[in-house]
Amino acid sequence: MTEKIDTQGMSGPVDPNYKGPVRIQPHKPLLIEPRRLHTPEMVKELKILMNEVLDEREHKKRMAGAYDDVKPLPPSYFDTKNFKHGVDEEEPPYEAWQ
């Protein structure tokens, strides 16, 4: 009986006199999980930032236009002075600009 190291798992049994069934392993395709540059928290903040910039631009257009009642914008998510809280308290909720 010869011994060999099968590093690929491609060959049959080592015993040349083996007459039993050969079990073929099904091929499982490699799944690639894409890497992202930003963390989920950074993505959330970037989306908020983009929406605030667009809303601020719309607000400026309304202020310059012929609108009668323009509501002031709420505090920005990135203006951290408005979101101060104690250690034992929850962070104040963010009100999305609309």
Side-chain angles (χ1 to χ4, degrees):
M1 184 165 128
T2 60
E3 292 186 24
K4 63 178 182 177
I5 297 175
D6 182 18
T7 58
Q8 298 294 318
M10 302 292 286
S11 63
V14 176
D15 185 8
N17 299 322
Y18 181 74
K19 302 292 184 197
V22 176
R23 290 184 223 136
I24 299 174
Q25 297 288 329
H27 172 68
K28 295 179 183 176
L30 175 66
L31 296 177
I32 299 173
E33 185 174 341
R35 288 198 229 162
R36 300 293 184 230
L37 180 64
H38 301 293
T39 64
E41 292 82 14
M42 289 175 72
V43 170
K44 177 183 172 187
E45 287 191 357
L46 284 172
K47 285 182 180 181
I48 290 172
L49 177 63
M50 285 184 234
N51 285 323
E52 282 189 7
V53 167
L54 293 173
D55 291 341
E56 187 175 2
R57 185 169 62 175
E58 180 68 25
H59 180 73
K60 285 181 182 179
K61 285 182 185 178
R62 288 183 182 204
M63 291 296 287
Y67 292 92
D68 292 334
D69 186 26
V70 180
K71 295 179 184 177
L73 293 173
S76 170
Y77 178 79
F78 300 97
D79 186 11
T80 55
K81 292 182 282 183
N82 295 310
F83 294 98
K84 286 183 181 179
H85 61 283
V87 174
D88 57 343
E89 300 171 351
E90 290 290 323
E91 182 176 343
Y94 167 68
E95 180 184 339
W97 292 9
Q98 305 231 0

